[in-house]
Amino acid sequence: MSKPSILVARAIFPETIARLAQHFEVTANQPDELWDRATLIDKLRGKAGVFTTGGERIDAELLAACPDLRICANMAVGYNNFDLAAMTAAGVLGTNTPDVLTETTADFGFALLLATARRLTESEHFLRAGQWNKWAFDMFAGAEVNGSTLGILGMGRIGQGIARRGAHGFGMNVIYHNRSRLDAATEADCKARYVDKATLLREADHLVLVLPYSPASHHAIGTAELAQMKPTATLVNVARGGIVDDAALAQALRERRIAAAGLDVFEGEPRVHPDLLTVPNVVLTPHIASATVRTRRAMADLAADNLINFLTQGQPKTPLNPEALGGARR
Ligand code: GLV
């Protein structure tokens, strides 16, 4: 029997390609060309599966053009590149890579919080520019982390990981807001108190965003929300671009309406709003929160497992829309 054909849309570990090739006819993109949409659709014709990395938009138009497609396996926990309703309607399964990146991403969220509060980027630029010629009592004096109030917007697995680090490691008072309140045992484990969004904005010394992007969370933090935060507060976004209004944030940072921000994700990335590049009180990283070698391998393995398990046995490991399994393309 001939092997199903799949597309790997971006460069990935050679070992992952080799493993997939044991089960599939693989079209890979190891030169990591950035395909436009027409090219992606063209490459996808006749493929039963696609390995995506979070940037490839899968919607009704693409699905209609690729009738053989049965699974889109994202190597990311976020899946806002998938129109899941359109995929379900077309009987196409989506999968993501939850759990394997939780602790690594929480580590990074906390690293960004510390770097932002303690002004690491700004002070390093100062030193590299040869401007450090004497000690000063207030040089790069930042915001206290230990014992302060950590606010978390979006209390899923990664949010809980950041809460535990803050509460248990840094003696922080943790408050959170989420679509639904956590059960009492999880709240106790995270030492976290549920509050409404207005209280979160008003009371947090350090506000960390970890909520998924959807039309409902678009610009969840904009001018009005920034105005409710303390002028001494810091804001960290390790969730998705578009949750923060980047232009409004740059203006708030410039006018010192909040003290500082740490951003790993941006609206329209890899482009970054030019105003964010010129304000000093922001730490900027290129969407690397899950980027350790071990975690990126685990994510690639899980995305590959989903393709292999689904296309050879009908049993994906981490399906997003299992209801699609009864759909037209089985
Ligand atoms: C990264 O942003 C992910 O969603 O895994």
Side-chain angles (χ1 to χ4, degrees):
M1 218 175 78
S2 66
K3 293 175 180 174
S5 296
I6 66 158
L7 177 72
V8 181
R10 296 290 309 275
I12 193 62
F13 298 103
E15 297 83 353
T16 309
I17 302 284
R19 195 171 149 232
L20 289 167
Q22 291 171 12
H23 304 270
F24 306 120
E25 293 299 333
V26 179
T27 302
N29 179 14
Q30 290 304 76
D32 210 24
E33 290 164 6
L34 289 178
W35 296 330
D36 62 18
R37 189 167 164 79
T39 308
L40 176 66
I41 291 178
D42 201 44
K43 302 252 180 207
L44 267 178
R45 283 188 223 280
K47 305 293 189 301
V50 60
F51 185 118
T52 51
T53 58
E56 306 81 359
R57 177 91 192 128
I58 305 291
D59 58 14
E61 181 201 35
L62 178 145
L63 295 169
C66 307
D68 298 312
L69 193 62
R70 294 170 53 209
I71 173 171
C72 304
N74 228 19
M75 183 186 143
V77 67
Y79 51 89
N80 53 302
N81 57 316
F82 288 173
D83 180 340
L84 214 53
M87 290 168 70
T88 303
V92 174
L93 186 75
T95 62
N96 68 339
T97 57
D99 300 325
V100 293
L101 49 61
T102 300
E103 297 304 327
T104 300
T105 304
D107 282 350
F108 190 86
F110 215 85
L112 203 47
L113 186 163
L114 286 168
T116 303
R118 299 304 305 273
R119 306 175 64 180
L120 290 198
T121 303
E122 228 182 320
S123 58
E124 184 178 350
H125 284 161
F126 170 87
L127 182 150
R128 284 180 187 270
Q131 291 176 287
W132 185 30
N133 48 25
K134 63 175 173 19
W135 178 90
F137 75 99
D138 60 349
M139 190 166 65
F140 294 107
E144 202 70 41
V145 174
N146 71 84
S148 66
T149 295
L150 170 61
I152 299 185
L153 185 58
M155 197 63 154
R157 288 163 285 214
I158 297 168
Q160 291 167 34
I162 294 172
R164 282 196 304 273
R165 281 159 179 75
H168 300 288
F170 289 78
M172 296 173 90
N173 164 40
V174 181
I175 54 178
Y176 77 97
H177 183 70
N178 198 41
R179 270 173 308 186
S180 49
R181 190 171 166 173
L182 300 179
D183 61 67
T186 311
E187 279 190 355
D189 181 38
C190 297
K191 293 196 183 174
R193 181 165 59 88
Y194 180 82
V195 294
D196 60 28
K197 188 175 169 188
T199 305
L200 186 81
L201 294 169
R202 197 174 58 243
E203 292 188 1
D205 294 312
H206 305 285
L207 178 61
V208 182
L209 309 178
V210 209
L211 65 170
Y213 179 82
S214 70
S217 63
H218 183 75
H219 287 188
I221 301 293
T223 305
E225 290 75 18
L226 291 161
Q228 293 173 63
M229 293 175 66
K230 297 178 185 179
T232 50
T234 70
L235 175 73
V236 166
N237 187 6
V238 285
R240 272 292 180 275
I243 290 174
V244 174
D245 177 342
D246 286 348
L249 175 61
Q251 196 177 349
L253 289 167
R254 192 180 304 284
E255 293 168 4
R256 305 274 165 177
R257 282 189 271 115
I258 66 169
L263 306 173
D264 187 47
V265 288
F266 304 88
E267 287 189 282
E269 64 188 44
R271 288 186 309 280
V272 174
H273 194 291
D275 292 354
L276 286 172
L277 298 173
T278 58
V279 284
N281 45 341
V282 62
V283 180
L284 305 169
T285 53
H287 202 148
I288 55 168
S290 67
T292 66
V293 176
R294 190 174 71 184
T295 292
R296 285 285 164 89
R297 281 193 186 278
M299 292 166 70
D301 284 347
L302 181 50
D305 287 346
N306 275 315
L307 284 163
I308 295 166
N309 292 15
F310 177 63
L311 288 174
T312 66
Q313 301 153 33
Q315 299 281 339
K317 274 188 149 173
T318 49
L320 291 165
N321 55 342
E323 61 278 17
L325 292 180
R329 297 188 184 186
R330 289 288 290 152

